[in-house]
Amino acid sequence: MTTIIGIAGSLRRGSYNAALLHAAAALAPAGCTIEAAAIRDIPLYDGDLEAAQGLPASVTRLKERIAAVDGLLIVTPEYNNSMPGVLKNAIDWLSRPAADIARVFGGKPVGIIGATPGARGTVLAQTAWLPVWRTFGMRPYYGHSLYLAGAAKVFNETGELIDADMRERLRAYVEGFAAFAARP
Ligand SMILES: Cc1cc2nc3c(=O)[nH]c(=O)nc-3n(C[C@H](O)[C@H](O)[C@H](O)COP(=O)(O)O)c2cc1C
C-alpha cells in the first residue's frame, strides 16, 4: 500500500485547493491512499516559543505522519505570484529542528498541484516551492503537471470537480505520482 499525505494550503471554508485535494484523494488508484492533513492548528512560527516549549503538538504529530508515509502532495494556492504564507508557515515549523529534515523529508517524493480562480493555474506558486523541496532534499515529481485555472467554472458550489477534462488530468497526475511514490 502506498500512503500519501496531502496538505491544502488554505484555511478558507470553500477553498478550491481543499476541494482539489479531496478530488485527488477520490481518484487515488487501487493500492494507494491519499490522506488530507490539516494545518489549521499550527501557530505562527515563533523562535522564542520553540526555544521555550519545543514544537507544538500539532507540528510534531504532522511531522511524524510525514516521516511515516511514502509521499507528500502539496496543493498550493497562489498569493501575489508566490506561495501563501499560511502554508509556508506550516512547512517552516515542520522543518524544525533542522537536524530532523533529512529524517522527515529527505528523499521523499513530493508532488505539487494547485487551483486558482485566476488564469495561470498557480504556475508561479508551484515554481516558488521548488527551492524549498531542494533545501529538504526531496524528490519532486515531474512526470505530470497540474495547474487548475478558472476554478469557479471547474468546481460546483459544493466543491465537486465537475470539469471532465480536468478530472482526467487529475487522475493522470495522481496515478503517476502514486507510482512514483510507491516503494520499490
Ligand atoms: C492576498 C491574495 C493574493 C492573491 N494573489 C493571487 C495570485 O498571485 N495569483 C492567483 O492566481 N490568484 C491570487 N489570489 C486569488 C486566489 O487564487 C484565490 O483567493 C483562491 O481562491 C485561494 O485559494 P483557496 O480557494 O484554496 O482558498 C490571491 C488572493 C489573495 C487573498
Side-chain angles (χ1 to χ4, degrees):
M1 175 61 77
T2 302
T3 307
I4 292 167
I5 288 220
I7 301 178
S10 170
L11 305 181
R12 204 168 68 81
R13 207 176 320 116
S15 163
Y16 292 123
N17 288 280
L20 181 58
L21 174 54
H22 191 253
L27 292 171
C32 172
T33 57
I34 300 179
E35 301 167 1
I39 56 171
R40 182 173 293 281
D41 294 342
I42 296 181
L44 285 176
Y45 179 76
D46 176 346
D48 291 335
L49 179 75
E50 184 186 12
Q53 297 171 24
L55 299 192
S58 55
V59 174
T60 302
R61 267 198 307 274
L62 185 49
K63 252 180 80 172
E64 296 313 317
R65 277 178 79 192
I66 293 170
V69 296
D70 302 298
L72 179 63
L73 179 63
I74 295 291
V75 189
T76 188
E78 179 171 288
Y79 280 4
N80 296 314
N81 291 345
S82 191
M83 74 265 281
V86 69
L87 182 54
K88 181 65 162 53
N89 176 71
I91 295 290
D92 288 342
W93 263 121
L94 292 165
S95 73
R96 300 297 299 161
D100 262 2
I101 289 176
R103 178 180 69 83
V104 176
F105 294 103
K108 194 164 297 278
V110 58
I112 181 138
I113 59 179
T116 170
R120 285 170 305 174
T122 72
V123 174
L124 291 169
Q126 293 190 38
T127 303
W129 280 107
L130 294 178
V132 179
W133 312 147
R134 186 176 59 213
T135 302
F136 290 0
M138 300 186 85
R139 289 198 295 133
Y141 175 60
Y142 293 126
H144 290 85
S145 50
L146 194 120
Y147 303 114
L148 193 155
K153 292 191 185 132
V154 174
F155 293 99
N156 67 13
E157 319 74 61
T158 58
E160 244 182 298
L161 186 54
I162 51 169
D163 183 276
D165 176 56
M166 186 50 72
R167 280 186 72 79
E168 282 319 302
R169 283 202 268 157
L170 182 60
R171 186 192 309 279
Y173 187 98
V174 170
E175 284 180 2
F177 182 56
F180 181 72
R183 283 175 211 198

